[in-house]
Amino acid sequence: MFKNQPKGLIPAALSNMGERFGYYIMNAVLVLFLCSKFGLSEETSSLIYSFFYAGIYVLSLVGGLIADKTQNYKATIIWGLIIMTVGYVVLAIPVLATADNKTWLLTLTGIALFFIALGNGLFKGNLQAIVGQLYDNPRYAAQRDSGFQIFYVFINIGGLIAPFIAPMLRSWWLDVNGMVYNASFPAMCHQFLSVSDSMSNETVNQLYALATAVGHSGAQSLQEFCQEYLNVFNTGIHYSFFASVGAMLISLIIFISTKKGLPTPSKKEKAETVTYTAEEKRAMAGEIRQRMFALFAVLGIAIFFWFSFHQNGTSMSLFARDFVDTSAVAPEIWQAVNPFFVIVLTPVIMWLFAALSRRGREISTPKKIAIGMGLAGVAYLFLTIFSLVMDYPSGTEFRQLMTSGVTVVKAGWWVLILYYFFMTVAELFISPLGLSFVSKVAPKHLQGLCQGLWLTATAVGNLLLWIGPLIYNKCPIWIAWVVFLAVCLISMGAMLGMLKWLERVTK
């Protein structure tokens, strides 16, 4: 797996792993945290999540432009880590949200998320550009796809561990304060505190019963207990953000201590530009245009993949909370299934690609991306059929049935496992190979910009994430899955239609 790989790959991957560990701690709980901290609706929280997630990738374009302009990729990466650390420090400070401070506290949270997005934009694409530079050496050129797959595994090692941190610290802090975790209780607390006078006696009695189950002793009023529970519940999550701060600092130390062993694109570019004559530059212009057209074509496909894939932080988190029996496992922890499969399946996928190559049946990178879109479609086809068979209503109707005492059948944990299996295989055919594709077709003096464009395509897909929870809460949930299925199939068809052209351009 690591044979014939350049020495700089592992230090770069370790730097990225630390940053991703800190990021995924926050990402695993962000939507549910905004709901429990500020009493926001799921649609509003998902909208904030969409803009934040999109901001990460839009700002990667800014980060790429800065690095390409200054030709100082390494300093840009270091500043990115520092700025992200500041954002996590702000998020880690526990302040109780009240009616008096909710506006400025939510604004401060938004500023912290902006700092995290900006720092990520300076860090992410430029580190990927440096990794791509490692494979410009003819000695390692044939290992480019496998190198990015290894790089992707390290990202997901951080993603595998991180989702356990926030639920663990939250449950620990609840236990210290004599309380018990319940995923649905914070929303009920916010409802009670805002409309207690208009709640029916039946609903209030149900709230009393649930409050007793999570630690209410009757020594204080229900209103006081709800306020205390929200404070303790969210403080536990705030503490988990300190782990994100630590991860950023570790990543910063690793990068600073190993940066001398990584390539410096600015020096390489100076050595190359002086060898180009005016005639050679004119001859290259047509090829560069074709490569950029090919890049934008693949970016268009990437938009729809990430729109479907990143539902794991929005509608799939809500699905795990509402429709799946996760009584023994917090909903956030299910996000660790995807990185687990990445780590386990990457060696298998790499072996498969190598075996096909040895037999002269190598699959081109564009064809791999088309196959990946088809596999993502299989994941949503499965969810569509399952939801139709179970006759599941919208998320809103299902929660009303639960609170009214109607017996409902929840899905087993195997549903999430099977969904994430297909989506992970699709991801392994698209994401690391997309990074490899970009580094292959991008002009050498625009490596940072082109990696930023790939991440910007991800941003556009993320701007659409709010659509999933909207359909999820308004319509029978199979309709949401059908929308994602259609997106995947149309994208696969478009990719196959461009296949011969893309393969010709990337030869």
Side-chain angles (χ1 to χ4, degrees):
M1 183 173 176
F2 297 99
K3 187 178 180 181
N4 298 324
Q5 297 292 342
K7 292 182 179 179
L9 176 63
I10 300 304
L14 287 172
S15 298
N16 205 43
M17 183 179 76
E19 183 275 328
R20 289 288 86 186
F21 173 72
Y23 170 78
Y24 279 116
I25 289 174
M26 181 271 301
N27 183 66
V29 299
L30 182 56
V31 170
L32 300 180
F33 170 68
L34 291 172
C35 292
S36 64
K37 176 77 175 180
F38 300 104
L40 301 178
S41 67
E42 291 166 359
E43 290 82 2
T44 302
S45 295
S46 296
L47 189 61
I48 293 173
Y49 177 88
S50 297
F51 278 103
F52 163 67
Y53 219 157
I56 286 175
Y57 296 99
V58 168
L59 291 169
S60 292
L61 181 59
V62 176
L65 287 169
I66 291 172
D68 285 335
K69 183 70 174 179
T70 63
Q71 288 291 285
N72 197 339
Y73 291 75
K74 295 176 182 178
T76 306
I77 289 169
I78 290 171
W79 274 109
L81 288 168
I82 293 171
I83 292 171
M84 275 189 283
T85 303
V86 173
Y88 285 120
V89 168
V90 174
L91 280 185
I93 302 172
V95 179
L96 175 64
T98 66
D100 295 329
N101 68 7
K102 179 179 176 180
T103 300
W104 72 258
L105 190 56
L106 184 57
T107 301
L108 182 63
T109 300
I111 293 172
L113 292 175
F114 172 77
F115 271 81
I116 294 170
L118 175 60
N120 212 296
L122 297 173
F123 173 85
K124 191 177 179 69
N126 291 313
L127 185 62
Q128 291 168 184
I130 285 180
V131 172
Q133 291 279 333
L134 293 170
Y135 295 92
D136 286 347
N137 186 331
R139 178 182 175 185
Y140 304 114
Q143 304 299 321
R144 187 182 295 268
D145 278 5
S146 61
F148 273 98
Q149 286 174 312
I150 293 171
F151 184 73
Y152 206 69
V153 166
F154 277 83
I155 291 174
N156 283 276
I157 290 174
L160 172 64
I161 302 170
F164 293 90
I165 302 300
M168 180 184 69
L169 291 175
R170 180 186 58 206
S171 295
W172 163 75
W173 192 240
L174 284 167
D175 183 62
V176 167
N177 287 272
M179 298 176 182
V180 178
Y181 168 75
N182 184 284
S184 61
F185 191 60
M188 297 182 69
C189 286
H190 280 292
Q191 182 185 8
F192 175 73
L193 292 173
S194 61
V195 295
S196 57
D197 293 339
S198 60
M199 291 180 72
S200 66
N201 290 333
E202 181 183 0
T203 303
V204 172
N205 290 335
Q206 291 172 356
L207 182 60
Y208 263 111
L210 188 54
T212 301
V214 299
H216 183 225
S217 62
Q220 58 187 150
S221 69
L222 184 58
Q223 183 176 21
E224 291 174 342
F225 178 77
C226 284
Q227 291 173 334
E228 183 181 358
Y229 188 90
L230 288 172
N231 186 30
V232 173
F233 185 94
N234 292 309
T235 298
I237 300 177
H238 280 292
Y239 289 159
S240 68
F241 297 141
F242 280 112
S244 296
V245 174
M248 292 301 107
L249 295 176
I250 291 172
S251 186
L252 181 62
I253 291 169
I254 291 173
F255 185 78
I256 291 175
S257 61
T258 61
K259 66 177 183 175
K260 289 184 178 179
L262 296 172
T264 303
S266 58
K267 292 182 179 179
K268 180 172 184 178
E269 181 61 22
K270 288 177 182 177
E272 291 180 340
T273 52
V274 296
T275 64
Y276 295 149
T277 66
E279 184 178 351
E280 287 172 331
K281 289 181 179 179
R282 284 194 298 269
M284 290 168 59
E287 180 185 352
I288 289 175
R289 280 196 298 271
Q290 284 295 308
R291 286 174 172 267
M292 293 303 292
F293 288 151
L295 175 62
F296 278 102
V298 174
L299 293 181
I301 301 300
I303 289 173
F304 296 107
F305 172 71
W306 293 118
F307 165 56
S308 303
F309 178 79
H310 279 152
Q311 292 297 321
N312 60 350
T314 53
S315 57
M316 286 306 298
S317 285
L318 302 177
F319 177 73
R321 185 195 66 186
D322 297 335
F323 287 89
V324 180
D325 182 8
T326 56
S327 54
V329 181
E332 304 95 327
I333 290 179
W334 286 101
Q335 292 193 42
V337 176
N338 169 246
F340 170 77
F341 276 139
V342 168
I343 295 167
V344 171
L345 295 176
T346 293
V348 178
I349 299 296
M350 291 178 65
W351 172 84
L352 174 63
F353 290 161
L356 291 171
S357 181
R358 285 194 299 269
R359 296 177 183 179
R361 301 172 60 186
E362 184 174 0
I363 304 175
S364 68
T365 301
K367 185 178 290 186
K368 291 172 183 174
I369 294 173
I371 294 171
M373 291 305 303
L375 291 169
V378 170
Y380 283 109
L381 177 62
F382 159 69
L383 281 182
T384 299
I385 295 172
F386 179 82
S387 299
L388 281 170
V389 170
M390 298 297 291
D391 195 26
Y392 281 148
S394 68
T396 301
E397 293 178 10
F398 193 82
R399 290 190 297 273
Q400 290 172 348
L401 291 174
M402 290 287 293
T403 56
S404 63
V406 175
T407 301
V408 293
V409 179
K410 287 198 170 189
W413 56 266
W414 62 272
V415 174
L416 292 176
I417 296 293
L418 196 56
Y419 166 82
Y420 279 116
F421 172 81
F422 282 113
M423 286 302 290
T424 302
V425 178
E427 179 187 8
L428 292 176
F429 272 75
I430 295 175
S431 188
L433 300 177
L435 298 177
S436 175
F437 178 85
V438 173
S439 72
K440 188 183 300 182
V441 302
K444 290 182 173 57
H445 63 293
L446 296 176
Q447 284 285 334
L449 173 63
C450 290
Q451 289 289 347
L453 286 171
W454 169 263
L455 298 172
T456 301
T458 312
V460 176
N462 291 337
L463 279 174
L464 304 174
L465 292 180
W466 59 273
I467 295 175
L470 180 65
I471 302 174
Y472 170 91
N473 279 320
K474 300 296 183 183
C475 308
I477 61 171
W478 67 266
I479 294 177
W481 311 145
V482 164
V483 170
F484 299 127
L485 170 61
V487 164
C488 292
L489 294 180
I490 292 171
S491 299
M492 180 183 68
M495 196 71 186
L496 291 174
M498 299 185 294
L499 192 58
K500 291 184 179 180
W501 168 59
L502 292 171
E503 289 176 339
R504 185 173 63 254
V505 171
T506 54
K507 281 184 179 178

